[in-house]
Amino acid sequence: MKLSKINKKKIWDTEKYSSRITEISKKTVGIYGLGAIGREVSKRLIGFNTKNYAIDPSPNFIPENIEECWGQEKLDYLCKISNFLIVCAPVTGETRNSLDRNRLSMMPKGSYVIIISRGEIVDEIALADLIKTSHIYGASIDATAVEPLPRKSPLWGLRNVIITPHSSALTPELYQMRRKIFASNLEKFLSNKSLEYVCDKITGM
Amino acid sequence: MKLSKINKKKIWDTEKYSSRITEISKKTVGIYGLGAIGREVSKRLIGFNTKNYAIDPSPNFIPENIEECWGQEKLDYLCKISNFLIVCAPVTGETRNSLDRNRLSMMPKGSYVIIISRGEIVDEIALADLIKTSHIYGASIDATAVEPLPRKSPLWGLRNVIITPHSSALTPELYQMRRKIFASNLEKFLSNKSLEYVCDKITGM
């Protein structure tokens, strides 16, 4: 039962959670994409005592708490070892639908998938199926292949799935930062200087 | 609306969250009690770029990311500066009901209270009132003064309050660790050696 319902129905059932909560410490976390988002994720992991591995074909830098960072060719292996798989990559020809049924099935039983960057990277039907059969225990999904997530998606209404509407970054501070970057880039543009934070949508960098 | 309801009703409302999500980075976290729990909490905070302060009259050691650790006499000040106040102290004569209405009211508008260790430390009626008036924006409560939390408690059913039944630690690994400690202490007891992890319930240490 979801926490909100428990709160409304005033249910205090300690026994239910006893020995059923997932320990994060000492688990393996796979970070798929070690760009700005992936590196922030790895920073958040510092205090959780996890073993972290990443996939990134050309990382800018590799944080200290990443044991190893591999190219795309080791994505099968990352899936096989990840108790938590965190999708932080851009959509490119290489990443699109790369977490397909085959690869998601390689994940250890009881693992979790977290989608932060782009939904098109994950086969959502396969993910829903694997959650239904309890091979994957849960998912937290902020980005979906089609947004808003279509009403017919099997992800809606699943237990142990948290769906947020591509909103995890939407703090007041984010907008303030964006306005600053826009103003600074406008100034650069008007004085013929090269712009900052330019993204190549083909390579995703 | 709670996430579970959103998931069931298939609601994708990005606009609703826009500029309303709380940024943790650069905020001030107060850790009340720097024992084993408080130190673990400070470890989890490493990756979140917060400024952390603590109260503990006799800390075993002070983690690097704690700016300052004070005695109980500075609890007023900790409340005044904490955007997130995390209760990790044992119940003692000094801490019982120390987060009373007066001190909770000193917290900055929009702050959050997290109760991990013991509910008797916090005036729950005052906490509920301050959440109702939106002075405190939310709370996450795993320990309450009376457990199970009585059905008449005003904390039940409040928005932005997560209540869990003193279960946040109940992983399989916890029980395994406890069994190990018990077995080891039994051995020590039988051979007249001094026991490990002995707690003085008066001083809370």
Side-chain angles (χ1 to χ4, degrees):
Chain A
M1 201 185 298
K2 294 288 168 68
L3 285 173
S4 59
K5 214 168 177 181
I6 287 168
N7 188 354
K8 231 173 246 163
K9 295 200 168 178
K10 309 185 178 185
I11 298 171
W12 184 281
D13 185 356
T14 305
E15 208 41 56
K16 191 181 161 188
Y17 297 94
S18 185
S19 276
R20 293 187 193 182
I21 295 175
T22 300
E23 185 75 52
I24 296 179
S25 177
K26 296 185 187 168
K27 293 287 165 68
T28 295
V29 177
I31 302 178
Y32 185 19
L34 209 46
I37 298 175
R39 291 197 302 270
E40 284 297 316
V41 165
S42 82
K43 215 191 278 175
R44 302 298 184 279
L45 288 169
I46 294 173
F48 288 92
N49 196 23
T50 50
K51 278 256 183 202
N52 311 313
Y53 297 86
I55 296 274
D56 196 303
S58 51
N60 268 341
F61 88 64
I62 301 171
E64 259 185 52
N65 66 330
I66 302 290
E67 309 282 322
E68 293 190 59
C69 179
W70 303 302
Q72 185 76 6
E73 74 283 357
K74 296 235 348 189
L75 185 54
D76 281 10
Y77 187 65
L78 190 79
C79 290
K80 278 179 196 163
I81 63 170
S82 292
N83 304 112
F84 297 88
L85 181 60
I86 310 182
V87 181
C88 309
V91 198
T92 65
E94 211 167 33
T95 64
R96 186 182 316 263
N97 204 35
S98 56
L99 292 175
D100 54 14
R101 187 174 297 267
N102 182 29
R103 287 210 175 94
L104 289 172
S105 305
M106 290 177 185
M107 293 185 67
K109 187 172 160 60
S111 51
Y112 294 84
V113 174
I114 295 154
I115 307 172
I116 302 179
S117 61
R118 288 285 174 255
E120 295 97 315
I121 296 169
V122 185
D123 179 340
E124 294 173 348
I125 308 288
L127 177 61
D129 286 346
L130 287 160
I131 291 170
K132 277 182 206 160
T133 60
S134 293
H135 180 82
I136 291 175
Y137 274 11
S140 185
I141 303 170
D142 192 50
T144 57
V146 176
E147 296 182 357
L149 182 63
R151 291 186 63 84
K152 64 173 198 291
S153 166
L155 289 172
W156 285 120
L158 279 186
R159 280 189 73 235
N160 294 334
V161 172
I162 295 171
I163 298 169
T164 48
H166 210 135
S167 59
S168 65
L170 305 183
T171 64
E173 289 84 349
L174 173 90
Y175 288 100
Q176 203 180 351
M177 204 170 62
R178 281 183 177 169
R179 280 189 294 266
K180 267 193 198 160
I181 292 171
F182 178 78
S184 148
N185 267 343
L186 181 61
E187 226 167 80
K188 284 186 167 65
F189 178 76
L190 292 173
S191 51
N192 266 320
K193 288 178 187 156
S194 58
L195 306 184
E196 281 189 302
Y197 301 102
V198 175
C199 167
D200 178 335
K201 290 204 167 181
I202 303 296
T203 63
M205 287 184 293
Chain B
M1 201 185 298
K2 294 286 168 66
L3 284 173
S4 57
K5 213 166 178 184
I6 288 169
N7 188 354
K8 233 173 242 164
K9 294 201 170 181
K10 310 186 178 185
I11 298 170
W12 183 281
D13 186 357
T14 306
E15 207 39 57
K16 192 180 161 191
Y17 297 94
S18 186
S19 277
R20 294 187 192 180
I21 295 176
T22 300
E23 185 76 50
I24 296 178
S25 177
K26 297 186 185 165
K27 292 288 165 65
T28 295
V29 176
I31 302 177
Y32 185 18
L34 209 47
I37 298 176
R39 291 197 302 272
E40 284 296 317
V41 165
S42 82
K43 215 190 280 176
R44 301 299 185 277
L45 288 169
I46 295 173
F48 288 92
N49 196 23
T50 51
K51 278 255 184 205
N52 312 314
Y53 297 85
I55 296 274
D56 197 303
S58 51
N60 268 341
F61 88 62
I62 301 172
E64 259 184 53
N65 66 330
I66 302 289
E67 308 282 323
E68 293 189 60
C69 178
W70 304 302
Q72 185 77 4
E73 73 284 356
K74 295 235 349 186
L75 185 55
D76 281 9
Y77 187 65
L78 191 78
C79 290
K80 278 179 195 162
I81 63 170
S82 292
N83 304 110
F84 297 87
L85 182 60
I86 309 182
V87 181
C88 309
V91 198
T92 65
E94 211 166 33
T95 64
R96 188 183 310 273
N97 204 35
S98 56
L99 292 175
D100 55 13
R101 188 175 296 268
N102 184 30
R103 287 210 176 95
L104 289 173
S105 306
M106 290 177 186
M107 293 186 67
K109 187 174 158 60
S111 51
Y112 295 83
V113 174
I114 295 153
I115 307 172
I116 302 178
S117 60
R118 287 288 174 253
E120 297 95 315
I121 296 169
V122 185
D123 178 341
E124 293 173 349
I125 309 286
L127 178 60
D129 286 346
L130 286 160
I131 292 170
K132 278 181 204 159
T133 59
S134 293
H135 179 82
I136 291 175
Y137 273 12
S140 185
I141 302 169
D142 192 49
T144 57
V146 177
E147 298 183 354
L149 182 63
R151 292 186 63 82
K152 65 173 197 294
S153 166
L155 289 173
W156 284 120
L158 278 186
R159 279 189 75 235
N160 295 334
V161 172
I162 295 171
I163 298 169
T164 48
H166 210 136
S167 59
S168 66
L170 304 182
T171 64
E173 288 84 349
L174 173 91
Y175 288 100
Q176 202 179 349
M177 205 169 61
R178 282 183 177 168
R179 281 189 292 266
K180 267 191 198 162
I181 292 171
F182 178 79
S184 150
N185 267 342
L186 181 62
E187 226 166 83
K188 285 186 167 59
F189 178 76
L190 292 174
S191 51
N192 268 321
K193 288 180 189 155
S194 57
L195 305 185
E196 282 189 302
Y197 302 102
V198 175
C199 168
D200 179 337
K201 290 204 169 182
I202 303 298
T203 62
M205 284 186 293

